Amino acid sequence: MVENHNDIQIRLAVPDDAPFIAWGLVEALGWNDGDEEKLNIISRLVTMDDVLYSWQNAVVAYDSQGQKAGVMIAYDGADYARMRTKTFDYLERYMPIPYKDMEDESKKGEFYLDSLAVAPQMRKKGIGRQLLEWGICRARMLQIPQVVLAVDPDNQRAQALYRKIGFLPAGELHIFGGVYWRWVISLK
């Protein structure tokens, strides 16, 4: 599935996208501290099957020259619990984050927009919005009634975008050792 908006196309990821997906995940989660080993750990995770952050759950936005512009990891919430165990068991071996104490981020009946990042040189061009809209279209196609995401309470710019698209605040999520806000858009 490829979508084209204003010289930006969005396609399902392929295995060769793994390094860019890993960069995007590290960027989205705020783990971009320049630690190469952390990036390597995430890169290996992205290549695995049946994990939350697999390339199989990602889409890539790119420009007319083929330059990767953004990435989003998104999936059916019905698969969350199954993929969560394998994902966090792997991460727990390498990173000291209390994964087992985390709330579930998603569940059946939700399409979860897990992580989104836009390359620095491509920001403020509507690519994040296009990726979010792709996720909403994908949820409709899969007939999943809600699209859900989590956002840092301090990220006002992202919240303004989510609100413009139609997402509404729907409570808190306690994940990755912090409090995030859960935003939802109903497709019913």
Side-chain angles (χ1 to χ4, degrees), residues 46-103:
V46 167
T47 65
M48 297 169 69
D49 294 332
D50 212 32
V51 294
L52 298 171
Y53 309 130
S54 172
W55 66 270
Q56 296 165 326
N57 295 328
V59 293
V60 175
Y62 59 98
D63 68 14
S64 60
Q65 286 78 43
Q67 181 178 356
K68 292 174 183 161
V71 61
M72 181 173 67
I73 297 172
Y75 44 82
D76 184 341
D79 298 328
Y80 178 82
R82 177 179 46 78
M83 293 188 298
R84 172 191 163 119
T85 300
K86 186 174 179 181
T87 303
F88 293 144
D89 283 352
Y90 171 83
L91 286 173
E92 204 166 42
R93 286 185 260 162
Y94 304 102
M95 302 171 80
I97 297 174
Y99 300 110
K100 293 200 188 309
D101 297 332
M102 281 181 32
E103 291 180 50

